[in-house]
Amino acid sequence: MLLNVKNTTVMNPLDWLAPHTCRGCGLIGNVLCARCKKYISTNFSNICPVCKHEKSGLKCPHCPDFPECFCLGKREDILALLIHDFKYNSTRAIGVTLASLLAERLPDFPENSCFVPLPTSTRHVRERGFDHTYFIAKRVAKKKHLKVKRLFVRTANTVQVGSDRNTRLAQAEHAFAINPKVAINENTTYILFDDVWTTGASMNAAIKKLRDAGARKIVVTLLATSSLD
Ligand SMILES: [Zn+2]
Ligand SMILES: [Zn+2]
């Protein structure tokens, strides 16, 4: 437990009181045991969030307009449990584990790439005590020896959970904007990160805003794809 302190910056006090148990099998010791970690690595594949096809490379052959993308898998099974526990119980140790699962599967990117977390609503940050999207992006970026940049600023404090698909699509376009203080460089690879793709409204809005601002190299990274249906 003490060894985790360096990686988690601020520990949830509850983490100190009870030992972690593996969310997959209940084994005491860690939030994800080695066997369950291997299960995720071998049973979850990189899925295109747009057409849901499994793919081996970053580019989806069916979706030419969508950027290169890596997604850990569908939001189901143990991956769904981990994401739920991280987001709604704020278990930081799970965030650390999810970040390492993603970092291990990502290829190396050019040196001038940067990770860009999609902005989280301030209400969620307040409720959860931290920005869970930034939390993971920061750790993945560190493991890949890259910077993390908060490129987007929220312009509306809309919360997407529970909104229907059409409402989400309409809200996303106006929910955030590129920080006017940040210059977009056409030679930089912007690695967008969000935890879960549901309708894709937020991610598609982010891609469009970056492209409109002059970005030429965009990669999308996700923990999981889900659907409202
Ligand atoms: Zn396990
Ligand atoms: Zn596709």
Side-chain angles (χ1 to χ4, degrees):
M1 183 78 76
L2 280 171
L3 291 173
N4 285 336
V5 173
K6 255 187 357 197
N7 298 328
T8 50
T9 53
V10 184
M11 295 286 288
N12 184 336
L14 291 176
D15 289 351
W16 293 97
L17 298 176
H20 286 307
T21 52
C22 173
R23 294 325 191 249
C25 67
L27 190 76
I28 291 173
N30 203 312
V31 291
L32 188 66
C33 74
R35 212 171 115 238
C36 292
K37 189 173 181 183
K38 195 172 173 204
Y39 171 80
I40 291 180
S41 307
T42 49
N43 288 278
F44 287 79
S45 1
N46 180 15
I47 288 177
C48 171
V50 182
C51 69
K52 312 294 182 200
H53 278 97
E54 283 184 21
K55 57 197 175 73
S56 50
L58 293 184
K59 190 74 191 162
C60 175
H62 308 288
C63 305
D65 293 334
F66 196 72
E68 293 188 327
C69 174
F70 184 86
C71 171
L72 271 180
K74 284 186 188 158
R75 187 180 188 173
E76 58 186 23
D77 200 346
I78 184 172
L79 193 53
L81 294 174
L82 289 168
I83 291 171
H84 183 91
D85 208 340
F86 174 56
K87 284 183 78 165
Y88 301 106
N89 298 331
S90 298
T91 312
R92 287 169 167 79
I94 292 180
V96 173
T97 299
L98 286 167
S100 87
L101 277 169
L102 183 59
E104 283 166 20
R105 302 278 295 279
L106 287 176
D108 288 331
F109 296 105
E111 259 179 42
N112 63 346
S113 309
C114 66
F115 271 82
V116 179
L118 261 58
T120 311
S121 84
T122 45
R123 197 189 101 190
H124 278 159
V125 174
R126 211 168 44 238
E127 283 170 359
R128 294 169 190 166
F130 65 108
D131 182 337
H132 64 276
T133 315
Y134 180 73
F135 183 97
I136 291 193
K138 195 170 83 173
R139 280 158 180 79
V140 178
K142 193 175 176 195
K143 282 178 186 289
K144 304 305 283 182
H145 309 290
L146 297 172
K147 288 183 183 146
V148 58
K149 276 190 188 163
R150 291 187 197 256
L151 269 189
F152 296 106
V153 286
R154 283 230 157 233
T155 50
N157 200 22
T158 45
V159 173
Q160 291 213 324
V161 173
S163 304
D164 65 47
R165 182 184 167 83
N166 286 337
T167 315
R168 281 181 173 228
L169 290 171
Q171 283 173 349
E173 184 69 24
H174 304 290
F176 55 89
I178 291 181
N179 185 340
K181 291 177 190 160
V182 178
I184 299 300
N185 185 332
E186 63 176 27
N187 295 316
T188 300
T189 301
Y190 295 95
I191 307 165
L192 292 170
F193 171 74
D194 201 4
D195 51 3
V196 178
W197 169 291
T198 308
T199 61
S202 299
M203 187 58 82
N204 279 320
I207 293 165
K208 183 174 185 306
K209 285 171 201 294
L210 264 179
R211 282 178 173 161
D212 288 350
R216 292 284 166 268
K217 299 169 188 172
I218 299 173
V219 177
V220 170
T221 52
L222 296 157
L223 292 180
T225 62
S226 189
S227 102
L228 282 177
D229 305 324

